Coordinates of all heavy atoms in Angstrom, one line a residue:
M1 N 26.5 -4.5 2.5 CA 25.3 -4.0 3.1 C 24.7 -3.0 2.2 O 25.5 -2.0 1.9 CB 25.7 -3.5 4.5 CG 24.5 -3.0 5.3 SD 25.1 -2.7 7.0 CE 24.4 -1.1 7.2
K2 N 23.4 -3.1 2.0 CA 22.7 -2.1 1.2 C 21.7 -1.4 2.0 O 20.9 -2.0 2.8 CB 22.0 -2.8 0.1 CG 21.3 -1.8 -0.9 CD 20.7 -2.5 -2.0 CE 19.9 -1.6 -2.9 NZ 19.3 -2.3 -4.0
V3 N 21.7 -0.1 2.1 CA 20.7 0.7 2.8 C 19.8 1.3 1.8 O 20.1 2.0 0.8 CB 21.5 1.9 3.6 CG1 20.6 2.7 4.3 CG2 22.5 1.4 4.5
S4 N 18.5 1.2 2.1 CA 17.5 1.6 1.2 C 16.8 2.8 1.8 O 16.0 2.7 2.7 CB 16.5 0.5 1.0 OG 15.4 0.9 0.1
V5 N 17.4 3.9 1.4 CA 16.8 5.2 2.0 C 16.7 6.3 0.9 O 17.5 6.3 -0.1 CB 17.9 5.8 2.9 CG1 17.5 7.1 3.5 CG2 18.1 4.9 4.2
N6 N 15.6 6.9 0.8 CA 15.3 8.0 -0.1 C 15.9 9.3 0.3 O 15.6 9.9 1.2 CB 13.9 8.0 -0.3 CG 13.6 9.0 -1.6 OD1 14.4 9.7 -2.0 ND2 12.4 8.8 -2.1
Y7 N 17.1 9.6 -0.2 CA 17.9 10.7 0.1 C 17.1 12.0 0.0 O 17.2 12.9 0.9 CB 19.2 10.8 -0.7 CG 20.1 11.8 -0.4 CD1 20.8 12.0 0.7 CD2 20.3 12.8 -1.4 CE1 21.7 12.9 1.0 CE2 21.2 13.8 -1.1 CZ 21.9 13.9 0.0 OH 22.8 14.9 0.4
H8 N 16.4 12.2 -1.0 CA 15.6 13.4 -1.3 C 14.6 13.6 -0.1 O 14.3 14.7 0.3 CB 15.1 13.3 -2.7 CG 16.0 13.4 -3.7 ND1 16.9 14.5 -4.0 CD2 16.6 12.4 -4.7 CE1 17.8 14.3 -4.9 NE2 17.5 13.0 -5.3
E9 N 13.9 12.5 0.2 CA 12.9 12.6 1.3 C 13.5 13.1 2.6 O 12.9 13.9 3.3 CB 12.2 11.4 1.5 CG 11.2 11.0 0.4 CD 10.4 9.7 0.7 OE1 10.5 9.2 1.7 OE2 9.9 9.1 -0.3
I10 N 14.7 12.6 2.8 CA 15.4 12.9 4.2 C 15.8 14.5 4.0 O 15.5 15.3 5.0 CB 16.6 12.1 4.3 CG1 16.2 10.6 4.6 CG2 17.5 12.6 5.5 CD1 17.3 9.7 4.6
L11 N 16.3 14.9 2.9 CA 16.7 16.3 2.8 C 15.4 17.1 2.9 O 15.4 18.2 3.5 CB 17.2 16.5 1.4 CG 18.8 16.3 1.2 CD1 19.1 16.4 -0.3 CD2 19.5 17.0 2.1
E12 N 14.4 16.7 2.3 CA 13.0 17.5 2.4 C 12.6 17.6 3.8 O 12.2 18.7 4.3 CB 11.9 17.0 1.5 CG 10.8 17.8 1.4 CD 9.7 17.3 0.5 OE1 10.0 16.5 -0.5 OE2 8.5 17.6 0.7
E13 N 12.6 16.5 4.6 CA 12.2 16.5 5.9 C 13.2 17.3 6.9 O 12.6 18.1 7.7 CB 12.2 15.1 6.6 CG 11.0 14.2 6.0 CD 11.2 12.7 6.4 OE1 11.9 12.5 7.3 OE2 10.4 12.0 5.9
S14 N 14.3 17.3 6.6 CA 15.3 18.1 7.3 C 15.0 19.6 7.0 O 15.2 20.4 7.9 CB 16.8 17.6 6.8 OG 17.8 18.5 7.5
L15 N 15.0 19.9 5.7 CA 14.7 21.2 5.4 C 13.4 21.9 6.0 O 13.5 22.9 6.6 CB 14.6 21.5 3.9 CG 14.3 22.8 3.3 CD1 15.5 23.7 3.7 CD2 14.0 22.9 1.9
I16 N 12.4 21.1 6.0 CA 11.1 21.5 6.6 C 11.4 21.7 8.1 O 10.7 22.7 8.6 CB 10.1 20.5 6.3 CG1 9.6 20.5 4.8 CG2 8.9 20.7 7.3 CD1 8.7 19.3 4.5
E17 N 12.2 20.9 8.9 CA 12.3 21.1 10.3 C 13.1 22.3 10.4 O 12.9 23.1 11.4 CB 13.1 20.0 10.8 CG 12.2 18.7 10.9 CD 13.1 17.5 11.4 OE1 14.2 17.6 11.8 OE2 12.5 16.4 11.5
E18 N 14.1 22.7 9.7 CA 14.9 23.9 9.8 C 14.2 25.0 9.6 O 14.3 26.1 10.3 CB 16.3 23.7 8.9 CG 17.1 22.6 9.5 CD 18.6 22.7 9.1 OE1 18.9 24.0 8.9 OE2 19.3 21.8 9.0
L19 N 13.3 25.0 8.5 CA 12.5 26.2 8.1 C 11.5 26.4 9.2 O 11.2 27.6 9.6 CB 11.8 26.0 6.9 CG 12.7 26.0 5.7 CD1 11.9 25.6 4.4 CD2 13.5 27.3 5.5
E20 N 11.0 25.4 9.9 CA 10.0 25.6 11.1 C 10.9 26.2 12.2 O 10.4 27.2 12.9 CB 9.4 24.3 11.5 CG 8.3 24.3 12.4 CD 7.0 25.2 11.8 OE1 6.8 25.0 10.7 OE2 6.5 25.9 12.7
W21 N 12.0 25.7 12.5 CA 12.9 26.4 13.5 C 13.0 27.9 13.1 O 13.0 28.8 14.0 CB 14.2 25.6 13.5 CG 15.2 26.5 14.4 CD1 15.3 26.4 15.7 CD2 16.2 27.5 13.9 NE1 16.3 27.3 16.1 CE2 16.9 27.9 15.0 CE3 16.4 28.0 12.7 CZ2 17.8 29.0 15.0 CZ3 17.5 29.0 12.5 CH2 18.1 29.3 13.7
L22 N 13.4 28.2 11.9 CA 13.6 29.6 11.5 C 12.4 30.5 11.8 O 12.6 31.6 12.3 CB 14.0 29.6 10.0 CG 14.4 31.0 9.5 CD1 15.6 31.6 10.1 CD2 14.7 30.9 7.9
K23 N 11.3 30.1 11.4 CA 10.0 30.8 11.7 C 9.8 30.9 13.1 O 9.5 32.1 13.5 CB 8.8 29.9 11.0 CG 7.5 30.7 11.3 CD 6.5 29.7 10.7 CE 5.1 29.9 11.3 NZ 4.0 29.0 11.0
E24 N 10.0 30.0 14.0 CA 9.7 30.1 15.4 C 10.9 31.0 16.0 O 10.5 31.7 16.9 CB 9.9 28.7 16.0 CG 8.7 27.9 15.7 CD 8.9 26.4 16.3 OE1 9.9 26.2 17.0 OE2 8.0 25.6 16.0
E25 N 12.1 31.0 15.4 CA 13.2 31.8 16.0 C 12.8 33.4 15.7 O 12.9 34.2 16.7 CB 14.5 31.6 15.2 CG 15.6 32.1 15.8 CD 15.9 31.5 17.2 OE1 15.6 30.4 17.6 OE2 16.6 32.3 18.0
F26 N 12.2 33.6 14.5 CA 11.9 35.0 14.2 C 10.6 35.4 15.1 O 10.6 36.5 15.6 CB 11.5 35.2 12.8 CG 12.7 35.6 11.9 CD1 13.6 34.7 11.5 CD2 12.8 36.9 11.6 CE1 14.7 35.0 10.9 CE2 13.9 37.3 10.8 CZ 14.9 36.4 10.4
I27 N 9.7 34.5 15.4 CA 8.6 34.9 16.3 C 9.1 35.2 17.7 O 8.8 36.1 18.3 CB 7.6 33.6 16.3 CG1 6.9 33.5 15.1 CG2 6.6 33.9 17.4 CD1 6.0 32.4 14.9
I28 N 10.1 34.3 18.2 CA 10.6 34.5 19.5 C 11.4 35.9 19.6 O 11.1 36.6 20.5 CB 11.6 33.4 19.9 CG1 10.7 32.2 20.1 CG2 12.3 33.8 21.2 CD1 11.6 30.8 20.2
L29 N 12.1 36.1 18.6 CA 13.0 37.4 18.6 C 12.3 38.7 18.3 O 12.6 39.6 19.0 CB 14.2 37.3 17.7 CG 15.3 36.2 18.0 CD1 16.2 36.0 16.9 CD2 16.0 36.5 19.4
F30 N 11.4 38.6 17.4 CA 10.9 39.9 16.9 C 9.3 40.1 16.9 O 8.8 41.2 16.8 CB 11.2 40.1 15.3 CG 12.7 39.9 15.2 CD1 13.3 38.8 14.6 CD2 13.6 40.8 15.7 CE1 14.5 38.6 14.3 CE2 15.0 40.7 15.6 CZ 15.5 39.5 14.8
K31 N 8.5 39.2 17.3 CA 7.2 39.3 17.3 C 6.7 40.3 18.5 O 5.7 41.1 18.1 CB 6.4 38.0 17.5 CG 4.9 38.0 17.3 CD 4.4 38.1 15.9 CE 3.0 37.9 15.9 NZ 2.7 37.9 14.3
S32 N 7.3 40.3 19.5 CA 6.9 41.1 20.6 C 7.3 42.6 20.4 O 6.8 43.5 21.2 CB 7.5 40.6 22.0 OG 8.9 40.7 21.9
K33 N 8.1 42.8 19.5 CA 8.7 44.2 19.4 C 7.7 45.1 18.6 O 7.8 46.4 18.6 CB 9.9 44.1 18.5 CG 11.0 43.4 19.3 CD 12.2 44.1 19.5 CE 13.1 43.4 20.1 NZ 14.4 43.9 20.4
V34 N 6.6 44.6 18.0 CA 5.5 45.4 17.4 C 6.1 46.5 16.4 O 5.7 47.5 16.6 CB 4.6 46.0 18.4 CG1 3.3 46.4 17.7 CG2 4.2 45.0 19.6
Q35 N 6.8 46.0 15.6 CA 7.6 46.8 14.6 C 8.3 48.0 15.0 O 8.6 49.0 14.2 CB 6.4 47.3 13.6 CG 5.6 46.0 13.1 CD 5.0 46.2 11.6 OE1 5.3 47.2 11.0 NE2 4.2 45.3 11.2
K36 N 8.7 47.9 16.2 CA 9.7 49.0 16.7 C 11.1 48.3 16.7 O 11.7 48.0 17.8 CB 9.3 49.5 18.2 CG 8.0 50.2 18.1 CD 7.5 50.5 19.5 CE 6.2 51.1 19.5 NZ 5.8 51.5 20.8
Y37 N 11.6 48.1 15.5 CA 12.9 47.4 15.4 C 14.1 48.3 15.5 O 14.1 49.5 14.8 CB 12.9 46.6 14.2 CG 11.8 45.6 14.0 CD1 10.9 45.9 13.0 CD2 11.6 44.6 14.8 CE1 9.8 45.0 12.7 CE2 10.5 43.8 14.7 CZ 9.7 43.9 13.7 OH 8.5 43.1 13.5
T38 N 15.1 48.0 16.2 CA 16.3 48.8 16.3 C 17.2 48.4 15.2 O 16.9 47.4 14.4 CB 17.0 48.5 17.6 OG1 17.4 47.2 17.6 CG2 16.1 48.9 18.8
N39 N 18.4 49.1 15.0 CA 19.3 48.6 14.0 C 20.0 47.3 14.3 O 20.3 46.6 13.5 CB 20.5 49.8 13.8 CG 19.8 50.9 13.1 OD1 18.9 50.9 12.3 ND2 20.5 52.1 13.5
R40 N 20.1 47.1 15.6 CA 20.6 45.8 16.0 C 19.6 44.6 15.6 O 20.1 43.6 15.2 CB 20.8 45.8 17.6 CG 21.4 44.5 18.1 CD 21.8 44.5 19.6 NE 22.4 43.3 20.0 CZ 22.5 43.0 21.1 NH1 22.1 43.8 22.0 NH2 23.2 41.8 21.5
D41 N 18.3 44.9 15.8 CA 17.3 43.9 15.4 C 17.5 43.5 13.9 O 17.4 42.5 13.5 CB 15.9 44.3 15.8 CG 15.5 44.5 17.2 OD1 16.2 43.8 18.0 OD2 14.7 45.3 17.6
K42 N 17.5 44.7 13.2 CA 17.7 44.5 11.6 C 18.9 43.7 11.2 O 18.9 42.9 10.5 CB 17.7 45.9 11.0 CG 16.2 46.6 11.2 CD 16.3 47.9 10.5 CE 14.9 48.6 10.7 NZ 14.8 49.8 10.1
S43 N 20.0 44.1 12.0 CA 21.3 43.4 11.7 C 21.2 41.9 12.0 O 21.6 41.0 11.4 CB 22.4 44.1 12.5 OG 23.6 43.4 12.2
T44 N 20.7 41.7 13.1 CA 20.4 40.3 13.7 C 19.6 39.4 12.7 O 20.0 38.3 12.4 CB 19.7 40.3 15.1 OG1 20.6 40.8 15.9 CG2 19.5 38.7 15.6
A45 N 18.4 40.0 12.3 CA 17.6 39.3 11.4 C 18.2 39.0 10.0 O 18.2 37.9 9.5 CB 16.3 40.2 11.1
N46 N 19.0 40.1 9.5 CA 19.7 39.7 8.3 C 20.8 38.8 8.4 O 21.1 38.0 7.5 CB 20.2 41.2 7.7 CG 19.1 41.9 7.2 OD1 18.5 41.5 6.2 ND2 19.0 43.2 7.6
S47 N 21.5 38.9 9.6 CA 22.6 37.8 9.8 C 22.0 36.5 10.0 O 22.6 35.4 9.4 CB 23.2 38.1 11.1 OG 24.0 39.3 11.1
I48 N 20.9 36.3 10.5 CA 20.2 34.9 10.6 C 19.9 34.4 9.2 O 20.1 33.3 8.9 CB 19.0 34.9 11.6 CG1 19.4 35.2 13.0 CG2 18.1 33.7 11.3 CD1 18.2 35.5 14.0
L49 N 19.3 35.4 8.4 CA 18.8 34.9 7.1 C 20.1 34.6 6.2 O 20.0 33.6 5.5 CB 18.0 36.0 6.4 CG 16.5 36.0 6.9 CD1 15.7 37.0 6.0 CD2 15.8 34.7 6.9
D50 N 21.1 35.5 6.4 CA 22.4 35.2 5.7 C 22.9 33.8 5.9 O 23.2 33.0 5.0 CB 23.4 36.3 5.8 CG 23.0 37.6 5.1 OD1 22.1 37.6 4.2 OD2 23.6 38.6 5.4
Y51 N 23.0 33.5 7.2 CA 23.6 32.3 7.7 C 22.8 31.1 7.2 O 23.3 30.1 6.6 CB 23.6 32.3 9.3 CG 24.0 30.9 9.7 CD1 25.5 30.7 9.7 CD2 23.2 30.0 10.1 CE1 26.0 29.5 10.1 CE2 23.8 28.7 10.3 CZ 25.1 28.4 10.6 OH 25.7 27.1 11.1
V52 N 21.4 31.2 7.3 CA 20.5 30.2 6.8 C 20.7 29.9 5.3 O 20.9 28.9 4.8 CB 19.1 30.4 7.3 CG1 18.2 29.3 6.5 CG2 18.9 30.3 8.7
M53 N 20.7 30.9 4.6 CA 20.8 30.9 3.1 C 22.1 30.3 2.7 O 22.3 29.5 1.6 CB 20.6 32.2 2.5 CG 19.1 32.6 2.4 SD 18.8 34.1 1.4 CE 18.7 35.4 2.7
N54 N 23.2 30.6 3.4 CA 24.4 30.1 3.0 C 24.8 28.7 3.4 O 25.6 28.0 2.9 CB 25.6 31.0 3.6 CG 25.7 32.4 3.0 OD1 25.2 32.5 1.7 ND2 26.1 33.4 3.6
N55 N 24.0 28.2 4.4 CA 24.3 26.9 5.0 C 23.2 25.9 4.7 O 23.2 24.8 5.2 CB 24.5 27.0 6.4 CG 25.9 27.7 6.7 OD1 26.8 27.2 6.4 ND2 25.7 28.8 7.3
M56 N 22.1 26.3 4.1 CA 20.9 25.3 3.7 C 21.3 24.6 2.4 O 21.7 25.2 1.5 CB 19.7 26.2 3.5 CG 18.4 25.3 3.6 SD 18.1 24.6 5.2 CE 17.9 26.1 6.2
Y57 N 21.1 23.3 2.5 CA 21.5 22.5 1.4 C 20.2 22.0 0.7 O 19.5 21.3 1.3 CB 22.3 21.3 1.8 CG 22.8 20.4 0.7 CD1 23.7 20.8 0.0 CD2 22.3 19.0 0.7 CE1 24.2 20.0 -1.1 CE2 22.8 18.3 -0.3 CZ 23.6 18.7 -1.3 OH 24.1 17.9 -2.2
V58 N 20.0 22.5 -0.5 CA 18.8 22.0 -1.2 C 19.1 21.1 -2.4 O 18.1 20.7 -3.1 CB 18.0 23.3 -1.7 CG1 17.5 24.1 -0.5 CG2 18.9 24.2 -2.7
N59 N 20.4 20.8 -2.6 CA 20.7 19.7 -3.6 C 20.2 20.0 -4.9 O 19.6 19.0 -5.7 CB 20.3 18.4 -3.0 CG 21.0 17.2 -3.9 OD1 22.0 17.4 -4.2 ND2 20.3 16.2 -4.0
D60 N 20.0 21.2 -5.4 CA 19.4 21.5 -6.7 C 18.1 21.0 -7.0 O 17.7 20.8 -8.1 CB 20.5 21.0 -7.8 CG 21.8 21.7 -7.8 OD1 21.8 22.9 -7.3 OD2 22.8 21.1 -8.2
S61 N 17.4 20.7 -5.9 CA 15.9 20.2 -6.1 C 15.1 21.4 -6.1 O 15.0 22.3 -5.3 CB 15.7 19.4 -4.8 OG 14.4 19.2 -4.8
M62 N 14.3 21.5 -7.0 CA 13.2 22.5 -7.3 C 12.2 22.6 -6.0 O 11.8 23.6 -5.7 CB 12.5 22.5 -8.6 CG 13.4 22.8 -9.8 SD 14.2 24.5 -9.6 CE 12.8 25.6 -9.7
I63 N 11.8 21.4 -5.6 CA 10.9 21.3 -4.5 C 11.5 21.9 -3.3 O 10.8 22.8 -2.6 CB 10.6 20.0 -4.4 CG1 9.8 19.3 -5.5 CG2 9.7 19.8 -3.1 CD1 9.6 17.7 -5.5
L64 N 12.7 21.5 -3.0 CA 13.4 22.1 -1.7 C 13.7 23.6 -1.9 O 13.4 24.4 -1.0 CB 14.7 21.3 -1.5 CG 14.6 19.9 -1.1 CD1 16.0 19.3 -1.1 CD2 13.7 19.6 0.0
L65 N 14.1 24.0 -3.1 CA 14.3 25.3 -3.4 C 13.1 26.2 -3.3 O 13.1 27.3 -2.7 CB 15.0 25.6 -4.8 CG 15.5 27.0 -5.2 CD1 16.5 27.5 -4.1 CD2 16.1 26.9 -6.5
T66 N 12.0 25.7 -3.8 CA 10.6 26.4 -3.6 C 10.3 26.5 -2.2 O 9.8 27.5 -1.8 CB 9.6 25.6 -4.5 OG1 10.1 25.6 -5.8 CG2 8.3 26.4 -4.4
L67 N 10.3 25.4 -1.5 CA 10.0 25.5 0.0 C 10.9 26.5 0.7 O 10.4 27.3 1.6 CB 10.2 24.1 0.8 CG 9.3 23.0 0.4 CD1 9.9 21.7 1.0 CD2 8.0 23.3 1.0
F68 N 12.1 26.6 0.4 CA 13.1 27.4 1.0 C 12.7 28.9 0.7 O 12.6 29.7 1.7 CB 14.6 27.1 0.7 CG 15.5 28.1 1.3 CD1 15.8 28.0 2.6 CD2 16.2 29.0 0.5 CE1 16.8 28.7 3.1 CE2 17.1 29.8 1.0 CZ 17.4 29.6 2.4
T69 N 12.4 29.1 -0.5 CA 12.2 30.4 -1.0 C 10.8 31.0 -0.5 O 10.7 32.1 0.0 CB 12.1 30.4 -2.6 OG1 13.2 30.0 -3.1 CG2 11.7 31.9 -3.0
E70 N 9.8 30.1 -0.4 CA 8.5 30.5 0.1 C 8.7 30.8 1.6 O 8.0 31.8 2.1 CB 7.5 29.4 0.0 CG 7.0 29.2 -1.4 CD 6.1 28.1 -1.7 OE1 5.9 27.2 -0.7 OE2 5.6 27.9 -2.8
A71 N 9.4 30.1 2.3 CA 9.6 30.3 3.8 C 10.3 31.8 4.0 O 9.8 32.5 4.9 CB 10.5 29.2 4.4
I72 N 11.3 32.0 3.3 CA 12.0 33.2 3.4 C 11.1 34.4 3.1 O 11.0 35.4 3.8 CB 13.4 33.3 2.6 CG1 14.3 32.3 3.0 CG2 13.9 34.7 2.5 CD1 14.8 32.3 4.3
E73 N 10.3 34.3 1.9 CA 9.4 35.3 1.5 C 8.4 35.5 2.6 O 7.9 36.7 2.9 CB 8.8 35.0 0.2 CG 9.8 35.1 -0.9 CD 9.3 34.6 -2.3 OE1 8.1 34.1 -2.4 OE2 9.9 34.9 -3.3
N74 N 7.9 34.4 3.2 CA 6.8 34.6 4.4 C 7.3 35.3 5.6 O 6.7 36.2 6.1 CB 6.3 33.2 4.8 CG 5.4 32.5 3.7 OD1 4.9 33.3 2.9 ND2 5.3 31.3 3.7
I75 N 8.6 35.0 5.9 CA 9.3 35.8 7.1 C 9.3 37.2 6.6 O 9.0 38.1 7.4 CB 10.6 35.1 7.3 CG1 10.4 33.8 8.0 CG2 11.4 36.1 8.3 CD1 11.5 33.0 8.2
E76 N 9.7 37.5 5.5 CA 9.9 38.9 5.0 C 8.6 39.6 5.0 O 8.5 40.9 5.3 CB 10.7 39.1 3.6 CG 12.2 38.7 3.8 CD 12.9 38.6 2.4 OE1 12.2 38.6 1.4 OE2 14.1 38.6 2.5
R77 N 7.6 39.0 4.6 CA 6.2 39.5 4.7 C 5.7 39.8 6.1 O 5.0 40.7 6.4 CB 5.2 38.6 3.9 CG 5.1 39.0 2.4 CD 3.9 38.3 1.7 NE 4.0 36.9 1.9 CZ 4.4 36.1 0.8 NH1 4.7 36.5 -0.3 NH2 4.6 34.8 1.1
M78 N 6.1 38.9 7.0 CA 5.5 39.0 8.3 C 6.2 40.1 9.1 O 5.6 40.7 10.0 CB 5.9 37.6 9.1 CG 4.9 36.5 8.7 SD 5.5 35.0 9.5 CE 5.3 35.3 11.2
Y79 N 7.5 40.4 8.6 CA 8.3 41.5 9.3 C 8.8 42.4 8.3 O 10.0 42.5 8.1 CB 9.4 40.8 10.1 CG 9.0 39.7 11.0 CD1 9.1 38.4 10.7 CD2 8.5 40.1 12.3 CE1 8.5 37.4 11.6 CE2 8.1 39.2 13.1 CZ 8.0 37.8 12.7 OH 7.6 36.9 13.6
P80 N 8.0 43.2 7.6 CA 8.2 44.0 6.5 C 9.3 45.1 6.9 O 10.2 45.5 6.2 CB 7.1 44.6 5.7 CG 6.1 44.5 7.0 CD 6.5 43.3 7.8
N81 N 9.2 45.7 8.0 CA 10.0 46.8 8.6 C 11.3 46.3 9.1 O 12.1 47.2 9.5 CB 9.2 47.6 9.7 CG 8.0 48.2 9.0 OD1 7.9 48.6 7.9 ND2 7.0 48.5 9.9
L82 N 11.5 45.1 9.1 CA 12.7 44.5 9.7 C 13.8 44.4 8.6 O 15.0 44.3 9.0 CB 12.4 43.0 10.4 CG 13.5 42.5 11.2 CD1 13.8 43.3 12.4 CD2 12.9 41.1 11.7
F83 N 13.4 44.3 7.3 CA 14.3 44.0 6.2 C 14.4 45.4 5.4 O 13.4 46.1 5.1 CB 14.0 42.9 5.4 CG 13.9 41.6 6.2 CD1 12.8 41.2 6.7 CD2 15.2 41.1 6.6 CE1 12.8 40.1 7.5 CE2 15.2 39.9 7.3 CZ 13.9 39.4 7.8

């Protein structure tokens, strides 16, 4: 049996979905705080990013790595006082 699937496209779609989840998670957790972040907020944000960075699989793809890097940078720009 031969399966014809483009592995890289599946990885890219999966990464895009996870990055969208990450963005929404930060909005839910931190948008309403209006830059009045506690140490616990900062710790939570860093823990989330650490977890995502350690568990995201980009398969040495420059496209996936670029998408991932841009998403992290956008989150850090949206919440500069959180990091």
Side-chain angles (χ1 to χ4, degrees):
M1 184 169 131
K2 183 178 178 182
V3 178
S4 179
V5 177
N6 190 336
Y7 181 68
H8 296 289
E9 285 181 16
I10 293 172
L11 277 178
E12 186 174 340
E13 289 172 13
S14 176
L15 179 66
I16 290 170
E17 288 175 11
E18 292 205 27
L19 293 174
E20 192 61 35
W21 168 85
L22 181 64
K23 178 182 160 189
E24 290 172 9
E25 193 69 21
F26 269 81
I27 290 170
I28 291 167
L29 291 173
F30 305 113
K31 189 73 169 184
S32 65
K33 302 236 176 176
V34 191
Q35 306 212 8
K36 296 179 183 175
Y37 306 117
T38 65
N39 286 336
R40 183 175 181 194
D41 292 335
K42 293 176 182 181
S43 176
T44 300
N46 283 306
S47 293
I48 291 170
L49 286 184
D50 286 344
Y51 178 82
V52 169
M53 284 191 258
N54 290 330
N55 292 294
M56 196 66 62
Y57 183 66
V58 294
N59 191 36
D60 297 329
S61 166
M62 287 305 293
I63 293 169
L64 298 180
L65 188 58
T66 301
L67 284 172
F68 181 71
T69 303
E70 287 175 356
I72 298 299
E73 288 173 353
N74 286 338
I75 288 171
E76 290 177 344
R77 270 192 299 260
M78 288 173 60
Y79 307 97
N81 296 331
L82 194 55
F83 300 100

